[in-house]
């Protein structure tokens, strides 16, 4: 589990490898990640946009920007939380993701809430000693 807090917005990410969606023989590795956002501040905020920086194990970078998350722009009052699960395909067995959410306060101010850097890793085969 990976966590970052920006201006009272807590973002926790839990990634996992999805073997049933992956095909290592075809260089296709799929990872799911669950994000929990908790508003620890005293003001209402709305998640307006996302930015992801995805890096595979060979250093290739892909950037993703868009409105909201999973088709939603959730509003969080003080103490409220929002969770969602999404996925990321890679052509290598490991990589990293990090980014930010654009949050908007009730007064119209926007700020970036950090999404912590997290690792995407296919479990390796266990070695057998004879």
């Amino acid at each position: 589990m990976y966590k970052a807090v920006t201006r009272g917005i807590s973002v926790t990410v839990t990634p996992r490898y999805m073997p049933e969606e992956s095909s290592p023989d075809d260089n296709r590795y799929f990872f799911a990640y669950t994000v929990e956002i908790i508003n620890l501040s005293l003001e209402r905020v709305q998640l307006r946009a996302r930015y992801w920086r995805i890096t595979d194990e060979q250093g290739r970078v892909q950037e993703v920007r868009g409105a909201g998350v999973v088709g939603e722009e959730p509003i969080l009052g003080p103490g409220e939380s929002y969770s969602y699960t999404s996925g990321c395909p890679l052509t290598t067995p490991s990589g990293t993701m990090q980014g930010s959410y654009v949050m908007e306060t009730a007064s119209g101010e926007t700020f970036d809430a950090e999404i912590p850097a997290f690792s995407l890793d296919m479990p390796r085969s266990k070695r057998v000693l004879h």
Side-chain angles (χ1 to χ4, degrees), residues 4-119:
V5 179
T6 309
R7 280 186 56 171
I9 305 303
S10 170
V11 179
T12 303
V13 183
T14 306
R16 65 189 177 283
Y17 176 65
M18 304 293 291
E20 64 279 6
E21 302 290 330
S22 301
S23 178
D25 290 343
D26 299 320
N27 294 320
R28 189 172 66 240
Y29 305 88
F30 193 82
F31 301 87
Y33 55 89
T34 299
V35 178
E36 181 180 35
I37 303 165
I38 305 172
N39 182 358
L40 303 172
S41 77
L42 298 177
E43 58 187 336
R44 184 179 65 86
V45 295
Q46 184 168 12
L47 191 159
R48 291 295 194 179
R50 70 189 181 284
Y51 164 73
W52 287 107
R53 180 181 171 89
I54 306 162
T55 307
D56 72 14
E57 72 179 26
Q58 295 182 355
R60 292 181 293 237
V61 174
Q62 178 184 0
E63 293 185 322
V64 177
R65 296 176 193 276
V69 290
V70 294
E72 298 182 6
E73 293 184 15
I75 296 171
L76 301 172
E80 293 183 335
S81 66
Y82 175 82
S83 296
Y84 72 95
T85 299
S86 191
C88 176
L90 290 179
T91 58
T92 60
S94 67
T96 60
M97 290 180 69
Q98 66 188 82
S100 60
Y101 296 121
V102 175
M103 307 300 287
E104 183 177 350
T105 67
S107 64
E109 178 191 2
T110 60
F111 65 94
D112 290 340
E114 177 187 357
I115 302 169
F118 59 95
S119 181

